Amino acid sequence: MLEVRDVKKYFGGIKALDGTSLTLGANELKCIIGPNGCGKSTLFNVITGALPPTSGQIIFKGQNITAWPPHKISRLGFGRKFQVPSIFNDITVAENIEIAAMALATRQRLRKTLGHKLDPAVFDKHLGDFGLTAFRNSVAGELPHGLKQRLEILLLILSEASVILLDEPTAGMSQAETLETAELICHIQTKFMTSVLVIEHDMHFVRALKCPLIVMMKGTVVREGVYETIKEDSEIKKAYLGEIAC
Ligand code: ADP
Ligand code: MG
């Protein structure tokens, strides 16, 4: 599905990415961890075309998409979630969902169906799955932070993204919200058959995801494995896990 091949990204003398390689299969969930400044967000910037790499390649479904413009990469089915939720704050939850459904219809050149509405049963199911039923008519900008993040993830799903990139999706969440979000991400990946790459710091969240972890340090991938193995790796413990309670 997605392959990052020996990608380097230098900012002057700073080697933000220094030969990063990884793969993400169809309907696969992987989590990238690593200390601050090791290049995680830069990697997402290079994958999504926000930044061209200094060298290396990004391959998507066998096609070399390295340094394509972001709008072209997004059209291939990449959905990216930033740390600050990008939802429409001034309208309701229901209206946010309607707009995402319309945007997809437009993108599929079904312009005639601009009034395109989601099937009401599907609409209600989405609200239920994402814990938003009670907030249907709430103004999105007034939702608690955790629910804003959920709404944004739902909007990505509605855009029919086939690869979802989540950069620290639990930033600013309580521990309960964090664990709920982990469940939600596992649910998305199985139910909507999407591939998900998530960057995360919170080790409770990482453990709850129960997925392969990719450990980055100084711009490269140093380990890949399940939480239980990574947690016991003395080198990683020393360099990273020791910094935060886990
Ligand atoms: P992480 O997300 O792992 O915390 P980043 O990818 O944000 O790390 O940053 C990796 C390194 O690259 C850091 O040293 C950061 O200061 C640097 N960096 C990131 N983006 C830029 C940029 N646009 N210009 C210059 N330096 C940058
Ligand atoms: Mg970052």
Side-chain angles (χ1 to χ4, degrees):
M1 190 75 165
L2 178 68
E3 190 184 347
V4 173
R5 279 190 199 155
D6 196 21
V7 165
K8 296 183 180 164
K9 179 66 191 176
Y10 298 167
F11 297 104
I14 298 171
K15 296 179 173 179
L17 295 175
D18 198 17
T20 297
S21 297
L22 59 86
T23 59
L24 182 70
N27 193 29
E28 195 170 29
L29 169 64
K30 285 186 178 177
C31 181
I32 302 175
I33 64 170
N36 257 330
C38 72
K40 304 180 297 296
S41 297
T42 302
L43 175 64
F44 276 13
N45 283 333
V46 169
I47 292 174
T48 56
L51 289 172
T54 304
S55 66
Q57 293 177 328
I58 309 294
I59 310 293
F60 178 64
K61 291 185 181 166
Q63 189 171 22
N64 187 346
I65 62 162
T66 316
W68 279 22
H71 68 273
K72 238 176 119 185
I73 293 181
S74 155
R75 254 189 248 140
L76 292 173
F78 278 81
R80 179 178 187 184
K81 183 184 175 332
F82 293 88
Q83 265 178 253
V84 178
S86 51
I87 53 177
F88 296 106
N89 279 319
D90 302 333
I91 57 175
T92 67
V93 167
E95 287 163 341
N96 266 275
I97 294 173
E98 279 162 17
I99 286 178
M102 277 194 324
L104 176 67
T106 308
R107 222 180 57 204
Q108 292 171 336
R109 300 203 173 77
L110 301 171
R111 291 184 192 279
K112 270 185 266 162
T113 63
L114 248 189
H116 172 86
K117 290 249 190 279
L118 276 179
D119 177 321
V122 173
F123 201 118
D124 291 346
K125 177 91 176 56
H126 281 321
L127 284 171
D129 282 352
F130 284 75
L132 290 166
T133 306
F135 301 91
R136 180 185 190 110
N137 296 314
S138 303
V139 173
E142 290 169 8
L143 292 174
H145 186 68
L147 291 181
K148 276 188 192 159
Q149 305 268 32
R150 277 165 176 258
L151 174 59
E152 191 190 11
I153 295 173
L154 171 56
L155 300 183
L156 288 179
I157 292 291
L158 288 170
S159 75
E160 294 193 349
S162 53
V163 181
I164 293 186
L165 306 175
L166 304 169
D167 195 345
E168 302 193 19
T170 69
M173 285 189 186
S174 68
Q175 196 173 326
E177 285 174 332
T178 296
L179 294 179
E180 277 170 26
T181 304
E183 260 175 48
L184 182 70
I185 290 171
C186 294
H187 168 78
I188 289 170
Q189 182 242 346
T190 47
K191 171 131 195 282
F192 298 95
M193 304 294 283
T194 49
S195 304
V196 183
L197 198 51
V198 47
I199 292 173
E200 190 50 62
H201 259 301
D202 186 304
M203 294 312 284
H204 296 289
F205 174 83
V206 168
R207 182 167 43 188
L209 282 181
K210 298 188 188 81
C211 71
L213 304 183
I214 295 168
V215 186
M216 282 183 71
M217 282 186 208
K218 295 183 183 159
T220 55
V221 172
V222 292
R223 294 280 193 291
E224 191 161 347
V226 293
Y227 174 84
E228 286 69 23
T229 315
I230 298 291
K231 182 171 73 103
E232 297 307 327
D233 190 308
S234 57
E235 216 175 304
I236 296 190
K237 240 194 233 171
K238 207 164 59 190
Y240 176 57
L241 292 176
E243 286 179 11
I244 47 176
C246 61

mmCIF file of all heavy atoms in Angstrom, residues 41 83 167-168, ligand 2:
data_model
loop_
_atom_site.group_PDB
_atom_site.id
_atom_site.type_symbol
_atom_site.label_atom_id
_atom_site.label_comp_id
_atom_site.label_asym_id
_atom_site.label_seq_id
_atom_site.Cartn_x
_atom_site.Cartn_y
_atom_site.Cartn_z
ATOM 1 N N SER A 41 6.907 14.030 12.576
ATOM 2 C CA SER A 41 6.009 14.915 11.820
ATOM 3 C C SER A 41 6.589 15.236 10.443
ATOM 4 O O SER A 41 5.848 15.358 9.461
ATOM 5 C CB SER A 41 5.743 16.208 12.584
ATOM 6 O OG SER A 41 5.085 15.918 13.797
ATOM 7 N N GLN A 83 -2.557 18.075 14.729
ATOM 8 C CA GLN A 83 -2.762 18.112 16.181
ATOM 9 C C GLN A 83 -3.945 18.988 16.567
ATOM 10 O O GLN A 83 -4.698 18.645 17.452
ATOM 11 C CB GLN A 83 -1.495 18.579 16.882
ATOM 12 C CG GLN A 83 -0.668 17.382 17.331
ATOM 13 C CD GLN A 83 0.625 17.786 17.988
ATOM 14 O OE1 GLN A 83 1.695 17.637 17.415
ATOM 15 N NE2 GLN A 83 0.524 18.305 19.177
ATOM 16 N N ASP A 167 -1.383 12.440 13.535
ATOM 17 C CA ASP A 167 -0.216 12.949 14.262
ATOM 18 C C ASP A 167 -0.635 13.316 15.685
ATOM 19 O O ASP A 167 -1.313 14.316 15.899
ATOM 20 C CB ASP A 167 0.371 14.162 13.536
ATOM 21 C CG ASP A 167 1.778 14.517 14.027
ATOM 22 O OD1 ASP A 167 2.184 14.014 15.095
ATOM 23 O OD2 ASP A 167 2.464 15.298 13.350
ATOM 24 N N GLU A 168 -0.239 12.496 16.630
ATOM 25 C CA GLU A 168 -0.564 12.683 18.047
ATOM 26 C C GLU A 168 -2.048 12.989 18.275
ATOM 27 O O GLU A 168 -2.392 14.059 18.794
ATOM 28 C CB GLU A 168 0.341 13.755 18.654
ATOM 29 C CG GLU A 168 1.815 13.368 18.508
ATOM 30 C CD GLU A 168 2.764 14.201 19.353
ATOM 31 O OE1 GLU A 168 2.303 14.840 20.311
ATOM 32 O OE2 GLU A 168 3.965 14.193 19.052
HETATM 33 MG MG MG B 2 5.749 16.023 15.809
#
